[in-house]
Amino acid sequence: MQADEYDVIVLGAGPVGETLAGRTAEAGLRTVIVESELIGGECSYWACMPSKALLRPAAALTEARAVAGASQAVDGGLDAAAVFARRDGFTHHWKDDSQVDWLDSVGVDLVRGHGRFTGPRRITVDTSDGSPRTLTARHAVAVCTGSRAVVPNLPGVAEADPWISRDATSAHEVPPRLAVVGGGVVGVEMATLYQALGSQVTLLVRGEGLLPRMEPFAGEYVTEALREAGADVRIGVSAASVRREAPGGPVTVGLDDGGEVVADEILFATGRAPRTGDIGLETIGLEPGSWLEVDDTCRVKAMDDGWLYAVGDANHRALLTHQGKYQARMAGGAISVRALDKEELDTRPWGAHVATADTAAVPQVVFSLPEVAAVGLTAAEAERQDHRTRVVDFDLGQVAGASLFADGYRGRARMIVDVDRGHLIGVTFVGHGVAELLQSATVAVAGEVPVERLLHAVPAYPTMSEIWLQLLETYRS
């Protein structure tokens, strides 16, 4: 058995693990990364990149149809084969050569295989060539193993061979009928995509509406748009059973209200669980399959001597790629400072070695049609946290830039002001093209920019960014 000693071992080579390994290697720490699948992880091959590559043609077509002069040139619908081929280019046809080259260029060693803890600071890897290899860490081990899709344990589910998000984003054919279970981000985006590609989509949502963690009006706009596109959106309905009589045959979904839905495929978009069930956590006194609670430097609280870190989805702070990479930058810096003892660890609020924006100013975009972009708290969350607030809403369609963007533009913006501190704590936009408005909102929330100062950040005319002027003037009135 080959044994190696490193300063830092990173378990998982998705965007989070790659970012952390790059930081510690840059600091001069001998770093190794362990990965059992493709280097680049879920985001690169089955989530962020392929899903957005698939959704962009649908958005472009929708936007063209909404502008007189362009709409007359639109003839027909999406070319599914071309849409899938474009996606394949962004996933590099599920090959990770370029990612491996990057690790090489920054001096990070790679061990391919499934890694498990076999004791403190020790990882044993069942390598791809069949020979076990043991790695030990002088300073830190970082768990960056991400999360996996959860499929509910319903009668008939296993035999029905349902889709999860990976199947939806890597498919090469469009099912004539698709049932989607779940009204969160994945469910909404995949329902949007496949309805645009020509499926008859039935979206089953057990709660009170789509996108339940966002402002209610966001889900309402998206629901209306999906229904206008031809999707059957059913609110307050749950899947109770699944039946597929023959491989490749239709799927019958039994509903809790006694009804049934028949589809050619069923996609479960019903949440995520940590990929920590088979990494040997029991050998270091932790519960297999658990989320790992961390401090603001992403160090696992349950490990007394401070060598274990959990970064990205595994710590359950914010299950978003950009937030995981942010954590990785902070944690990589903290690991390096602690290991090299060259400078003082910066643990001030918003300091150089602590992750705070993954709890206080989390931005997220839902690439539905229309888009939803939000950062910070919703009005309901602010109320639950006892903030004294003023909520300001404005019709995006009344902004000159939005009316130029699309004829009959429909959308809405909301900002939430903490009136005691005088700055924004939450912003939500709904409408076509609003994703690019989000960074300005994130700067305002994360930077705690006083509202009176924001009044001097003059938006260019005529752009959609003039929504800021309208929100702020409404707040002053």
Side-chain angles (χ1 to χ4, degrees):
M1 180 184 294
Q2 185 177 357
D4 293 287
E5 187 176 46
Y6 286 86
D7 293 313
V8 179
I9 300 171
V10 180
L11 198 57
V16 174
E18 287 181 305
T19 300
L20 191 149
R23 280 295 170 101
T24 55
E26 181 183 31
L29 297 175
R30 187 169 183 242
T31 301
V32 63
I33 199 164
V34 179
E35 178 56 62
S36 60
E37 294 188 306
L38 295 172
I39 310 305
E42 193 83 10
C43 177
S44 299
Y45 304 102
W46 299 286
C48 318
M49 293 303 292
S51 66
K52 304 321 169 268
L54 289 165
L55 283 158
R56 179 56 195 154
L61 184 61
T62 299
E63 291 164 6
R65 286 174 171 163
V67 180
S71 60
Q72 288 80 359
V74 176
D75 183 17
L78 294 174
D79 182 327
V83 171
F84 289 140
R86 183 174 190 267
R87 179 271 321 273
D88 292 352
F90 279 96
T91 61
H92 301 280
H93 300 271
W94 289 274
K95 295 179 181 178
D96 62 2
D97 298 4
S98 62
Q99 302 276 28
V100 173
D101 290 343
W102 180 82
L103 288 176
D104 217 24
S105 72
V106 297
V108 175
D109 287 354
L110 168 64
V111 178
R112 288 191 183 269
H114 185 76
R116 295 180 181 85
F117 287 95
T118 50
R121 303 174 189 260
R122 187 170 68 247
I123 299 290
T124 297
V125 185
D126 297 326
T127 63
S128 51
D129 65 8
S131 58
R133 183 173 174 182
T134 295
L135 312 171
T136 59
R138 283 186 286 267
H139 297 295
V141 178
V143 176
C144 304
T145 48
S147 62
R148 58 176 176 81
V150 173
V151 176
N153 186 25
L154 300 178
V157 161
E159 296 77 16
D161 191 24
W163 278 9
I164 58 173
S165 55
R166 282 192 172 198
D167 301 293
T169 58
S170 62
H172 283 86
E173 294 183 0
V174 179
R177 299 166 297 180
L178 176 65
V180 179
V181 182
V185 176
V186 173
V188 163
E189 289 187 346
M190 292 302 98
T192 299
L193 169 66
Y194 278 95
Q195 187 67 38
L197 287 173
S199 280
Q200 175 54 58
V201 170
T202 301
L203 180 56
L204 306 173
V205 184
R206 70 178 181 181
E208 297 180 356
L210 303 185
L211 305 174
R213 296 185 179 182
M214 294 183 153
E215 296 285 5
F217 67 82
E220 292 165 5
Y221 270 84
V222 174
T223 299
E224 181 182 1
L226 280 168
R227 285 174 172 161
E228 288 179 354
D232 180 3
V233 182
R234 303 191 189 185
I235 306 297
V237 177
S238 296
S241 65
V242 184
R243 184 176 74 254
R244 195 192 296 264
E245 300 292 352
V251 176
T252 301
V253 187
L255 307 178
D256 62 352
D257 63 3
E260 288 186 342
V261 171
V262 178
D264 298 285
E265 295 291 351
I266 180 170
L267 164 64
F268 281 99
T270 46
R272 309 285 298 180
R275 295 183 65 182
T276 60
D278 190 23
I279 61 170
L281 289 182
E282 66 279 3
T283 70
I284 55 173
L286 300 177
E287 182 183 351
S290 63
W291 303 104
L292 299 175
E293 187 180 359
V294 298
D295 64 17
D296 285 344
T297 66
C298 294
R299 193 157 58 171
V300 175
K301 292 181 177 180
M303 198 57 58
D304 291 338
D305 51 357
W307 57 270
L308 182 63
Y309 291 74
V311 190
D313 283 11
N315 65 35
H316 206 225
R317 285 166 67 110
L319 275 65
L320 296 161
T321 296
H322 48 278
Q323 294 300 133
K325 291 172 70 174
Y326 160 74
Q327 290 177 11
R329 294 191 293 272
M330 302 299 108
I335 290 169
S336 301
V337 169
R338 286 168 172 147
L340 298 171
D341 198 26
K342 288 185 176 180
E343 58 181 294
E344 185 176 345
L345 194 71
D346 184 357
T347 57
R348 298 170 301 163
W350 310 101
H353 303 122
V354 297
T356 50
D358 54 355
T359 56
V362 178
Q364 183 173 17
V365 177
V366 185
F367 290 86
S368 48
L369 299 173
E371 292 174 343
V372 180
V375 61
L377 302 178
T378 65
E381 287 169 338
E383 183 178 356
R384 286 195 294 270
Q385 294 183 22
D386 294 325
H387 292 281
R388 196 164 65 91
T389 64
R390 182 174 170 194
V391 177
V392 180
D393 291 309
F394 201 85
D395 179 358
L396 254 172
Q398 299 302 309
V399 174
S403 62
L404 288 166
F405 188 92
D407 300 336
Y409 189 100
R410 289 185 293 175
R412 183 172 169 184
R414 167 172 289 182
M415 74 175 188
I416 302 162
V417 180
D418 184 317
V419 296
D420 293 320
R421 293 186 290 169
H423 63 76
L424 276 59
I425 57 175
V427 181
T428 297
F429 303 110
V430 181
H432 291 295
V434 298
E436 300 306 327
L437 290 173
L438 187 57
Q439 183 60 11
S440 56
T442 303
V443 170
V445 174
E448 300 182 352
V449 182
V451 170
E452 293 304 317
R453 186 63 185 155
L454 285 176
L455 288 163
H456 296 278
V458 181
Y461 178 85
T463 68
M464 208 182 299
S465 291
E466 278 203 303
I467 185 59
W468 283 109
L469 177 61
Q470 301 299 337
L471 287 169
L472 292 164
E473 287 295 319
T474 301
Y475 176 73
R476 291 186 68 191
S477 63

